[in-house]
Amino acid sequence: MTCRFFRDTTKVLGKKMETDFTSDRFLDLWKSGTVPSHSLGWFQWVCDTLEILPGFERFWSKKRVKGAVYEGDLVNYAAFQGSVEILRWLMEDKGWEPNLYTVGEWAGFGGSVEVLEYLL
C-alpha cells in the first residue's frame, strides 16, 4: 500500500522517480546496517510499476541508460538480500537470466550461502 501511495503521489507532484541500484549505494547501506529487506511483493510491484530493461549493463558502461533499472540489477539485489524465493521468481517465473559475472559477487557481499548453492 505504501509503495502505491508513493508512486501515485510522485506522479501527482510531477516528480521523476529514480532508483539507485549502484554497487556503491548498496555497499554503503550494507556497511551502515540500514539495508532494507524487500519482500517478493516489493519486487513484483517494481516489475509492474517501473520500466525494466532487459539484461544487465554495468553502471560505468556507456551503453547503460541513465536512471534505468535492468533485469540484472534486480537479480543482483535479490542475491544480495539472500532471497532464494525472490531469485526463483525472477529467474523461473519471469525468465530472467543472472549475470554470471556479478550475481555470485552480490550473493557473497550479502553473505548468502543458500543463494550461492541455488545458483550452482
Side-chain angles (χ1 to χ4, degrees):
M1 194 80 111
T2 302
C3 292
R4 281 194 190 105
F5 176 76
F6 176 76
R7 180 195 62 201
D8 294 344
T9 303
T10 56
K11 282 183 181 177
V12 168
L13 295 174
K15 301 288 182 181
K16 182 178 178 185
M17 187 170 29
E18 220 173 90
T19 304
D20 184 358
F21 278 107
T22 61
S23 56
D24 291 342
R25 178 69 178 137
F26 279 129
L27 293 176
D28 287 345
L29 287 171
W30 178 70
K31 289 175 187 175
S32 72
T34 59
V35 176
S37 182
H38 289 98
S39 66
L40 175 59
W42 181 85
F43 278 82
Q44 291 168 332
W45 172 80
V46 167
C47 291
D48 291 342
T49 306
L50 301 179
E51 178 184 356
I52 310 297
L53 298 180
F56 177 78
E57 289 292 336
R58 293 201 179 263
F59 289 95
W60 43 263
S61 171
K62 291 182 181 185
K63 295 178 186 177
R64 187 173 180 94
V65 176
K66 186 177 190 268
V69 177
Y70 287 82
E71 293 171 355
D73 297 330
L74 292 172
V75 171
N76 287 346
Y77 184 40
F80 181 68
Q81 278 195 174
S83 178
V84 172
E85 174 192 25
I86 295 169
L87 270 177
R88 185 173 288 122
W89 179 75
L90 292 171
M91 292 168 59
E92 294 176 14
D93 292 358
K94 301 285 289 172
W96 295 359
E97 297 285 328
N99 181 304
L100 300 178
Y101 297 105
T102 60
V103 72
E105 179 179 43
W106 281 105
F109 285 149
S112 179
V113 174
E114 288 178 345
V115 167
L116 291 170
E117 288 174 344
Y118 172 74
L119 292 169
L120 295 176

